[in-house]
Amino acid sequence: MPVYKAPLRDMKFLLNDVFDYPGHYQSLSSGGNATPDIVDAILSECGRFCEQVLSPLYQSGDEEGCQLNNGLVTTPKGYKEAYSQYLAGGWQGLSAPEAFGGQGLPTSMGLFKQEMMGTANWSFAMYPGLSLGAMNTIQLHGDEQQQQTYLVPLTEGRWGGTMCLTEPQCGTDLGQVKTRAEPQLDSSYRLSGTKIFISSGDHDLTENIVHIVLARLPDAPRGTRGISLFIVPKFLPDGQGGVGERNAVHCGALEKKMGIKASATCVMNFDGATGYLIGSENRGLECMFTFMNTARIGTAIQGVGPAELSYQWALDYARERRSMRALSGKKEPDQDADSLIHHADVRRMLLTQKAIAEGGRAMLYYAAKLADHMVEANTQGNHKLADKYDNKLGFLTPILKGFLTEMGYEATNLGMQVFGGHGYIREHGMEQIVRDTRIATLYEGTTGIQALDLLGRKVLLSTQGGAVREFTFKIANFARKQLTNKQLRPMAVELLKLTAQWNFLTVRVMLAARKDRDAVSAAANDFLMYSGYVTMAYMWLRQATVAVDKLANGGTESSAFYQTKLHTAEFYYERLLPRAQAHATVSVHSTT
């Protein structure tokens, strides 16, 4: 069975050399304890936990899956023990406020943890991952009593969390939500309705599950303006930090899925369940976006993680498996055939996986700094500054979610291709990575929905192209500084051209949309993919710039490490970035 190895060298290269996280943490009120030594220790210990505890459960969990018996959901063998170790390590509260029992470290530290966990075993990582979204929602929008009641056990991991949006008659179109919330004399509500596709809807890992539920009040307006948000616990709190009587919410069925079979995806029935309003009436969707944006960034990890895992396993296989001779001549004359890695097309596939995984990781870490600043501003009550960073992060979120999951799925298919026929066989694990990754392009909004969010909402409606102008200005300024370097100049010139073209495409769609709004939908997917390729190109130029400097002046890693970074950047620009032009061409044709 293949094993996962935490890519700590690549992670630290980004943290310390590319994005200067040590300096970044010094600027945060929550970063005082995030010293380089502490960060290294946390990353190393989390890597060990993922390698030794979570990774061995990846394939066995897929084969066993979750079970529903007598209304109770059980997780696969080993999951409860792994979750106990997860809690003992204090991982759930890593970035949670100290006031609720957390360690108070920056938000980004939680993302680094989640990346390793999601790469080692995505099904397991979803259970605590959904809880983080519930915690963020209650922290930002819950009243003081709700925070005191729910955030401590959620932070400790004794309770889990979910988000309950989708219903049988509606997916992304939440204006069709029918779940009803009837007000009660004690200020609570009775919720009735059915939710589907609810990840972690029921399981045996925690003593309670806190459902964050969208529902309608009796006099609510039609559409999305009439949706409110509620807390509906599986067991009602007993007022002393524990659980009391069972609430009227139950798992009616487990979805039979293509992948992530060890993650309990439930049909949840609310039969007059007791719930409590979060935020204002009919403002639920606004509050829910806190949860949804958290989930979308988390889902972007499911593009990077599987690409990394598939690459690791494919690379090991390509080094060991022998087949035919290299076209350039025998590479291992004492063997009957050469290793797969000596074949140029196999190296192409491996380099594509590597470029996607490491370029995608850089995109995530870049966004994580914005998230840190946003949380810092909210904590200090500086709502204007928080909105500024929220807008920056909001622009990147659909790119991260849409582009990275599409590219991650491509990478997993390439890994399966490296294995050939063996990749199609379950014992090698490659087909499982493909199956598990397929959902990432669908849930939390399909790629098409992310594309409409990016182009329609974030670029055209909210900023009239300003979001693209601001981001490309930042990219162009960085690229211009590299024009004097002979090794970096070709990449810098290409990136400058693309930033100009990105603005041209934005204006082109904006003008076309004045005559025909369908032009936005027609161009959106290609616009998103173009945006993703250019953003990843920016990340690779940043990595290449550091690599060139370290090769000249020395660094903590070997010259071979930095040379490989530079070669991978060049590969991305030469072999993957040209795809952006095809998307640009289609975007233009979509507006005519």
Side-chain angles (χ1 to χ4, degrees):
M1 173 183 168
V3 295
Y4 163 71
K5 182 67 176 176
L8 296 177
R9 293 176 71 198
D10 292 300
M11 295 172 71
K12 292 176 183 179
F13 171 69
L14 292 176
L15 295 176
N16 299 325
D17 298 327
V18 178
F19 296 122
D20 185 24
Y21 264 86
H24 166 66
Y25 283 153
Q26 289 179 11
S27 70
L28 302 175
S29 62
S30 61
N33 292 328
T35 62
D37 288 345
I38 294 296
V39 171
D40 282 354
I42 290 173
L43 294 179
S44 297
E45 183 59 24
C46 185
R48 184 205 63 78
F49 172 70
C50 293
E51 292 170 357
Q52 299 179 12
V53 179
L54 298 188
S55 181
L57 299 175
Y58 182 59
Q59 288 179 279
S60 62
D62 176 71
E63 293 187 7
E64 181 180 347
C66 294
Q67 306 295 324
L68 174 61
N69 295 297
N70 300 319
L72 300 176
V73 175
T74 54
T75 52
K77 182 180 179 181
Y79 267 52
K80 291 185 70 173
E81 293 78 8
Y83 190 75
S84 294
Q85 292 186 53
Y86 174 79
L87 296 189
W91 294 112
Q92 188 67 357
L94 189 67
S95 298
E98 293 180 85
F100 303 114
Q103 299 177 43
L105 291 169
T107 299
S108 53
M109 288 297 299
L111 183 139
F112 308 146
K113 170 204 72 177
Q114 195 71 5
E115 180 205 340
M116 286 189 277
M117 290 178 57
T119 308
N121 190 329
W122 184 261
S123 287
F124 179 92
M126 289 187 69
Y127 292 102
L130 268 294
S131 299
L132 293 173
M135 291 159 61
N136 290 341
T137 303
I138 295 172
Q139 183 180 338
L140 283 177
H141 303 293
D143 59 34
E144 184 176 352
Q145 181 179 356
Q146 290 169 342
Q147 291 175 358
Q148 293 298 326
T149 300
Y150 295 100
L151 286 181
V152 171
L154 282 168
T155 299
E156 294 174 349
R158 291 187 291 111
W159 295 5
T162 75
M163 63 182 203
C164 299
L165 287 73
T166 306
E167 299 182 4
Q169 77 285 350
C170 69
T172 303
D173 185 6
L174 296 175
Q176 297 185 54
V177 163
K178 293 181 179 179
T179 298
R180 293 180 61 81
E182 300 283 346
Q184 304 298 300
L185 294 177
D186 61 356
S187 298
S188 67
Y189 295 79
R190 295 290 182 187
L191 277 75
S192 300
T194 297
K195 300 287 185 177
I196 62 172
F197 304 155
I198 308 306
S199 299
S200 308
D202 194 54
H203 53 79
D204 57 355
L205 302 182
T206 59
E207 66 183 35
N208 200 3
I209 300 174
V210 181
H211 302 288
I212 308 296
V213 186
L214 287 180
R216 291 186 181 281
L217 297 171
D219 58 350
R222 295 173 61 87
T224 56
R225 293 181 301 169
I227 300 177
S228 299
L229 191 64
F230 300 86
I231 299 174
V232 184
K234 177 179 178 179
F235 291 94
L236 298 176
D238 64 3
Q240 299 177 345
V243 297
E245 64 178 288
R246 177 67 189 263
N247 205 356
V249 52
H250 299 87
C251 176
L254 286 175
E255 306 287 2
K256 300 185 186 330
K257 303 172 294 184
M258 177 180 178
I260 55 168
K261 295 182 178 180
S263 171
T265 306
C266 305
V267 175
M268 299 301 299
N269 296 320
F270 297 83
D271 303 311
T274 299
Y276 308 94
L277 181 70
I278 307 178
S280 304
E281 294 183 359
N282 303 325
R283 300 291 295 273
L285 200 57
E286 181 181 321
C287 297
M288 196 61 158
F289 267 112
T290 302
F291 203 141
M292 293 168 67
N293 284 329
T294 301
R296 285 171 179 169
I297 295 174
T299 306
I301 296 174
Q302 202 178 354
V304 175
E308 172 68 35
L309 186 64
S310 183
Y311 168 67
Q312 288 188 15
W313 293 1
L315 180 62
D316 287 344
Y317 186 81
R319 286 170 171 164
E320 297 173 0
R321 178 76 172 181
R322 292 183 173 82
S323 180
M324 302 181 290
R325 292 296 184 185
L327 294 179
S328 57
K330 293 181 180 180
K331 304 301 180 184
E332 300 172 277
D334 57 329
Q335 301 292 335
D336 292 335
D338 292 329
S339 299
L340 288 177
I341 203 166
H342 293 299
H343 299 292
D345 188 56
V346 172
R347 293 198 299 275
R348 172 192 64 83
M349 291 188 284
L350 292 171
L351 276 168
T352 300
Q353 291 182 289
K354 181 178 176 65
I356 291 170
E358 296 176 13
R361 180 178 296 113
M363 290 170 68
L364 284 173
Y365 288 16
Y366 177 86
K369 289 182 73 172
L370 298 178
D372 281 343
H373 284 301
M374 183 182 71
V375 172
E376 172 88 356
N378 271 319
T379 300
Q380 297 178 347
N382 190 339
H383 300 300
K384 183 177 181 180
L385 186 61
D387 287 343
K388 172 187 173 182
Y389 282 107
D390 187 34
N391 290 335
K392 291 177 181 290
L393 188 59
F395 169 70
L396 290 175
T397 296
I399 299 175
L400 294 172
K401 198 283 181 185
F403 176 74
L404 290 183
T405 57
E406 291 286 350
M407 296 299 286
Y409 184 60
E410 175 185 341
T412 64
N413 277 286
L414 287 174
M416 188 171 167
Q417 190 78 7
V418 170
F419 274 69
H422 290 287
Y424 200 66
I425 305 303
R426 294 182 65 180
E427 66 185 87
H428 293 283
M430 300 304 284
E431 58 84 33
Q432 182 188 342
I433 305 177
V434 174
R435 287 188 289 105
D436 286 351
T437 309
R438 188 65 185 91
I439 186 59
T441 66
L442 303 175
Y443 58 16
E444 307 310 329
T446 63
T447 304
I449 293 299
Q450 302 303 322
L452 283 172
D453 180 43
L454 172 66
L455 180 56
R457 181 178 300 156
K458 306 296 177 53
V459 173
L460 299 183
L461 291 178
S462 298
T463 66
Q464 292 77 51
V468 173
R469 289 193 297 272
E470 179 184 347
F471 191 51
T472 54
F473 181 76
K474 184 180 184 69
I475 296 174
N477 278 344
F478 180 83
R480 288 191 191 96
K481 295 177 183 178
Q482 318 315 320
L483 292 174
T484 57
N485 187 290
K486 184 178 179 180
Q487 287 179 284
L488 300 173
R489 187 182 305 123
M491 289 184 280
V493 169
E494 181 63 23
L495 189 54
L496 283 168
K497 292 178 181 177
L498 289 168
T499 57
Q501 186 178 41
W502 197 353
N503 281 283
F504 166 77
L505 291 175
T506 302
V507 173
R508 181 68 180 258
V509 176
M510 191 182 305
L511 293 174
R514 293 178 180 178
K515 299 178 181 179
D516 180 9
R517 291 187 178 182
D518 273 347
V520 177
S521 182
N525 187 77
D526 287 288
F527 186 90
L528 178 140
M529 295 302 292
Y530 178 91
S531 302
Y533 280 114
V534 178
T535 303
M536 187 174 282
Y538 173 43
M539 295 301 132
W540 269 117
L541 181 58
R542 292 190 65 157
Q543 293 183 76
T545 300
V546 173
V548 167
D549 175 71
K550 297 299 183 183
L551 285 169
N553 302 308
T556 57
E557 296 291 345
S558 66
S559 295
F561 176 86
Y562 298 120
Q563 196 66 58
T564 299
K565 289 293 181 185
L566 183 57
H567 287 329
T568 308
E570 292 169 343
F571 174 86
Y572 178 82
Y573 271 78
E574 293 169 2
R575 300 296 295 268
L576 297 182
L577 188 55
R579 299 178 184 181
Q581 291 305 322
H583 289 294
T585 300
V586 174
S587 290
V588 170
H589 287 321
S590 298
T591 62
T592 57

